[in-house]
Amino acid sequence: AFGVLWVHDARARADRPAHVLLADTVLRTGNASSYPERLDAPLPAGAEVRELARRGGWVQVELPGGAVGWLPLSALVACAG
């Protein structure tokens, strides 16, 4: 059963749109600049993230390590693929 769930989760992650950061950007805990920073340092330009949701000009993303947070849409460019 665990194997089936793992395969399902891997496929779901692969279907999420990938984006790349245009510049160093702070990952937030919510969808506004007034929310606290999610990490100690900004994410570097060129970092790849996976989109989870969108709200009000912000994109909820997941990092390769599994951390989840919010970035402004203007800081991202969609990956071709």
Side-chain angles (χ1 to χ4, degrees), residues 6-16:
W6 183 82
V7 169
H8 175 71
D9 184 57
R11 286 183 183 158
R13 288 175 191 259
D15 291 341
R16 297 177 188 155

Side-chain angles (χ1 to χ4, degrees), residues 15-72:
D15 291 341
R16 297 177 188 155
H19 298 277
V20 173
L21 284 159
L22 296 169
D24 293 0
T25 308
V26 174
L27 184 70
R28 302 276 175 188
T29 60
N31 64 318
S33 59
S34 59
Y35 281 93
E37 296 180 10
R38 173 73 170 83
L39 304 173
D40 293 334
L43 297 174
E48 185 174 319
V49 297
R50 292 277 171 186
E51 180 177 330
L52 301 176
R54 289 188 186 205
R55 187 183 309 148
W58 287 76
V59 181
Q60 185 183 41
V61 299
E62 181 178 28
L63 305 182
V68 174
W70 292 84
L71 296 168

